[in-house]
Amino acid sequence: MSRSIASVVGFTVFLMGLPGVSLAAAQTAKSPSSVKKLNPRLTMQPFGKTHDGREVDLYTLTNQNGMAVGIMNYGGVIVTLKAPDRHGKFEDVVLGYDKLDPYLGKNPYFGALVGRYANRIGGAKFTLDGKEYHLPKNDGPNCLHGGINNFSKQVWAVKPSPTEAKIELQYVSADGEEGFPGKMTATVTYSLDDKNELRIDYAAVSDKPTVVNLTNHSYFNLAGQGNGTILNHLLTIYGSKTTPVDATLIPTGELKPVAGTPFDFTKPTRIGERINADDQQLKFGRGYDHNWVLDHSGSLSLAARAEDPGSGRVLEVLTDQPGVQFYTGNFLDGTDHGKGGKVYQQRYGFCLETQHFPDSPNKPSFPSVVLRPGGHYHTTTVFRFSAK
Ligand code: BGC
């Protein structure tokens, strides 16, 4: 496949695929405004610069129904996601910031691509093929979301599609980065179709044995970002067990049936219904911050469904991954000033992070997260939007 390389607004862009797409064609995208049309379903615009002066761009994927998803190549973050309610009224349903700057500092992983290992690794260490690896302790005694300089803190190379609402992001993580072995190349493709499905394909290869667990950390509020808590949303999780945790949120190794507990979301249930129940697991998490073991057989299928009764907006999450972390924004506390000046209080958003189980590198009984040279990590998650 031939690849044209074009430098547009100072950032190197790799135009995807088609032999006929030339530098000149890419530059005709220039318009008086800073928004460049790359194809009828895709635009790009400058979004700011990193502290070391690298340009970051925001790509907007649109579909025939008017949905629009803004994704930047810093951290592969979903910055905006406009979805219609039952009357066709659009709201931005993900939490985030208007500008690049707050994303550069410490923030709750709003919309980010998380890696190399999403979620926690207990004691910030693991043993692979007899060798012990040490990771940053950035969450008490544990390593959370791949360490300090994790994938959400990187500028990813971009290959926009010349014809579709689709971008491919790539990041090469050096051998030993954040303590993980192996040079790992991660490729993540976001695409939006006319069925209102935002599809995320994750792929990775490594030159040495390593561990990998990639996810997206969007915080959703189907009533619109900043418009109150998510406690009235109705949630279904297609998983009949969880992986209970200790006080530092590391799984004990047990798989616990949800039946008869506040973790039973096998039927649509208000998120707030039992969130304050007298339950040790909920106390450890300050709410829901747990991994569900999905019931599906491993092919792309429904993991969860959330519905906002007020607006009618529905989000269905499909994945081929074995687990999903349901997190209710328990650590949001009003210090984050989000888009349009909205203040994000506790439980103003929820995450459904499709993934392998937390601490799998230290849990031989959990599905393996080991990636070896010659092996291909490939997984898909779909966020499907509708209204009723
Ligand atoms: C974790 C939470 C954490 C949040 C933001 C979630 O995936 O489970 O404990 O606070 O990410 O880092």
Side-chain angles (χ1 to χ4, degrees):
M1 200 188 264
S2 92
R3 245 176 218 186
S4 312
I5 299 176
S7 189
V8 182
V9 285
F11 188 78
T12 302
V13 171
F14 302 88
L15 278 174
M16 219 181 236
L18 293 193
V21 177
S22 66
L23 187 66
Q27 286 178 340
T28 52
K30 273 193 183 149
S31 71
S33 86
S34 60
V35 181
K36 315 278 174 213
K37 197 164 183 174
L38 299 175
N39 77 48
R41 296 270 184 254
L42 186 62
T43 62
M44 72 180 281
Q45 64 198 100
F47 198 60
K49 281 187 185 170
T50 61
H51 295 316
D52 57 2
R54 283 178 297 164
E55 309 235 7
V56 173
D57 294 301
L58 181 72
Y59 293 81
T60 304
L61 287 58
T62 53
N63 71 6
Q64 70 178 17
N65 311 319
M67 261 190 80
V69 183
I71 298 162
M72 66 165 162
N73 61 314
Y74 180 81
V77 169
I78 299 177
V79 179
T80 56
L81 199 163
K82 292 181 182 143
D85 71 2
R86 63 168 69 93
H87 305 298
K89 183 171 171 269
F90 284 82
E91 281 279 0
D92 185 354
V93 296
V94 292
L95 277 54
Y97 306 111
D98 288 317
K99 290 188 305 215
L100 177 62
D101 230 48
Y103 287 105
L104 301 175
K106 199 168 157 40
N107 75 76
Y109 296 85
F110 288 139
L113 288 183
V114 188
R116 170 181 314 202
Y117 194 93
N119 215 313
R120 291 173 176 81
I121 297 183
K125 60 181 182 188
F126 66 95
T127 302
L128 179 59
D129 297 340
K131 192 164 173 224
E132 190 168 275
Y133 295 94
H134 291 262
L135 312 168
K137 290 182 182 169
N138 61 343
D139 186 63
N142 306 319
C143 180
L144 175 64
H145 294 329
I148 297 154
N149 195 26
N150 59 68
F151 285 16
S152 75
K153 296 285 167 210
Q154 310 301 336
V155 176
W156 294 58
V158 187
K159 211 162 60 147
S161 164
T163 51
E164 293 172 79
K166 181 171 172 177
I167 56 170
E168 185 186 290
L169 302 175
Q170 192 167 82
Y171 174 63
V172 181
S173 168
D175 184 8
E177 188 179 84
E178 297 302 276
F180 291 97
K183 175 179 158 193
M184 195 178 108
T185 302
T187 309
V188 178
T189 307
Y190 284 104
S191 55
L192 177 69
D193 69 14
D194 289 332
K195 291 178 285 176
N196 291 0
E197 293 183 354
L198 177 66
R199 179 183 169 111
I200 315 176
D201 288 295
Y202 303 87
V205 290
S206 175
D207 68 353
K208 288 186 187 159
T210 192
V211 294
V212 58
N213 191 29
L214 304 182
T215 195
N216 177 279
H217 206 293
S218 288
Y219 288 70
F220 297 99
N221 186 328
L222 299 176
Q225 63 94 20
N227 293 345
T229 75
I230 45 74
L231 295 173
N232 278 332
H233 284 46
L234 297 171
L235 180 73
T236 313
I237 301 180
Y238 300 91
S240 47
K241 293 188 187 101
T242 60
T243 51
V245 288
D246 67 14
T248 72
L249 304 187
I250 295 297
T252 58
E254 184 198 354
L255 303 186
K256 189 176 175 198
V258 295
T261 78
F263 290 79
D264 189 351
F265 283 95
T266 52
K267 296 197 177 63
T269 307
R270 271 185 66 241
I271 290 175
E273 182 106 4
R274 304 154 303 182
I275 201 166
N276 295 317
D278 184 14
D279 178 278
Q280 184 64 76
Q281 285 295 311
L282 286 172
K283 285 181 188 151
F284 283 158
R286 294 211 213 168
Y288 296 104
D289 192 356
H290 298 79
N291 171 65
W292 267 251
V293 178
L294 296 171
D295 292 335
H296 69 65
S297 60
S299 55
L300 188 66
S301 39
L302 270 178
R305 178 186 185 281
E307 176 185 336
D308 169 41
S311 66
R313 286 192 193 86
V314 174
L315 164 65
E316 289 170 304
V317 179
L318 295 89
T319 191
D320 51 17
Q321 290 291 277
V324 65
Q325 181 88 3
F326 171 50
Y327 171 58
T328 39
N330 311 320
F331 296 102
L332 299 178
D333 59 5
T335 53
D336 277 297
H337 289 240
K339 290 176 281 188
K342 295 282 173 81
V343 174
Y344 301 143
Q345 305 288 357
Q346 194 189 37
R347 313 229 161 102
Y348 265 42
F350 67 91
C351 303
L352 289 164
E353 304 155 55
T354 54
Q355 57 170 15
H356 267 258
F357 306 165
D359 202 31
S360 293
N362 294 311
K363 297 279 186 309
S365 62
F366 287 176
S368 173
V369 289
V370 176
L371 174 64
R372 295 189 179 277
H376 291 269
Y377 169 88
H378 188 265
T379 137
T380 302
T381 288
V382 172
F383 295 131
R384 182 197 285 156
F385 293 86
S386 57
K388 64 174 277 201

